[in-house]
């Protein structure tokens, strides 16, 4: 490949990098806002269930809201990580072959993962995610089971919600990225 062709390829790779980084930034903002949306929806559901003498059956709205928002959070978080992997494992090596001394180009994409406290931070994030998307909806179900009307359709719904929460919990743990870089 001629030097001019290498320059064109390098510029195209930089444009691709800028585009995927922009997508990553947008997904990070969206993902982080999902935490606030989840907390707001939980607060609204709990408030409605407590008004007018209390209606614990309204707490059955909390698990589906948590699962829906939790799944969306998880999907975005995975895409954010996938973009980082793509930059580290694909774009960086291709650009490095074009660099005069074959230097890694996007050092930050790897450097921030080399922090010795990364695993402890990831574990804390896993705990926070599980607290928000699994423990809180299970707590709502426990409150319903102990205080709500024991109508068969509502109990069946609560059991189905428990299964949905379990599926989401397993997925959150599987995607936690607790391994070393």
């Amino acid at each position: 490949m001629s030097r001019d062709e290498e320059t064109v390829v390098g510029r195209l790779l930089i444009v691709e990098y800028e585009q995927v980084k922009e997508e990553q930034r947008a997904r990070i903002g969206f993902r982080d806002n999902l935490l606030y949306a989840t907390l707001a929806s939980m607060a609204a559901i709990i408030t409605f269930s407590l008004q007018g003498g209390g209606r614990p059956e309204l707490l059955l709205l909390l698990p589906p809201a948590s699962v829906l928002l939790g799944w969306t959070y998880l999907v975005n978080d995975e895409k954010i990580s996938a973009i980082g992997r793509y930059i580290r494992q694909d774009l960086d090596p291709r650009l490095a072959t074009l660099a005069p001394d074959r230097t890694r180009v996007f050092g930050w994409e790897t450097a921030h993962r080399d922090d010795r406290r990364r695993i402890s931070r990831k574990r804390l994030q896993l705990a926070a995610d599980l607290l928000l998307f699994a423990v809180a909806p299970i707590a709502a179900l426990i409150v319903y089971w102990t205080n709500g009307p024991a109508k068969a359709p509502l109990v069946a719904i609560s059991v189905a919600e428990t299964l949905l929460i379990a599926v989401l919990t397993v997925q959150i743990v599987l995607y936690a990225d607790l391994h070393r870089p």
Side-chain angles (χ1 to χ4, degrees):
M1 186 177 336
S2 75
R3 193 68 188 145
D4 288 341
E5 291 171 329
E6 287 179 353
T7 301
V8 169
V9 169
R11 286 185 182 155
L12 290 172
L13 291 173
I14 293 296
V15 168
E16 182 180 11
Y17 170 76
E18 291 168 351
Q19 293 299 311
V20 295
K21 282 306 279 187
E22 182 54 39
E23 179 182 346
Q24 189 180 49
R25 276 189 289 278
R27 284 184 178 276
I28 288 169
F30 183 71
R31 178 202 61 194
D32 293 351
N33 284 330
L34 284 168
L35 297 172
Y36 303 122
T38 303
L39 290 170
S41 69
M42 287 179 174
I45 291 167
I46 291 168
T47 299
F48 289 133
S49 72
L50 294 175
Q51 286 180 342
R55 295 191 52 204
E57 65 273 13
L58 290 177
L59 290 173
L60 294 178
L61 296 172
L62 201 144
S66 296
V67 168
L68 177 68
L69 292 166
W71 182 254
T72 306
Y73 174 90
L74 181 63
V75 167
N76 272 282
D77 191 59
E78 193 284 323
K79 293 301 179 208
I80 291 163
S81 296
I83 288 169
R85 269 191 314 276
Y86 176 71
I87 291 169
R88 286 188 309 278
Q89 296 172 2
D90 192 282
L91 281 180
D92 188 295
R94 287 193 291 162
L95 266 170
T97 64
L98 301 174
D101 56 358
R102 301 211 182 274
T103 308
R104 304 258 350 212
V105 182
F106 304 119
W108 174 247
E109 298 292 337
T110 302
H112 77 278
R113 293 178 57 85
D114 290 339
D115 180 3
R116 62 184 170 83
R117 291 186 301 267
R118 178 181 176 275
I119 298 300
S120 64
R121 275 195 320 273
K122 294 299 277 184
R123 287 183 180 140
L124 288 171
Q125 184 62 52
L126 173 60
D129 293 347
L130 291 174
L131 181 64
L132 185 62
F133 298 117
V135 174
I138 290 294
L141 289 172
I142 290 170
V143 170
Y144 166 73
W145 290 329
T146 58
N147 298 308
K151 296 178 182 173
L154 295 178
V155 172
I157 288 170
S158 71
V159 170
E161 290 175 343
T162 303
L163 295 173
L164 285 173
I165 294 165
V167 169
L168 178 62
T169 299
V170 167
Q171 293 302 308
I172 289 172
V173 171
L174 289 175
Y175 282 101
D177 192 24
L178 296 175
H179 61 278
R180 292 272 173 211

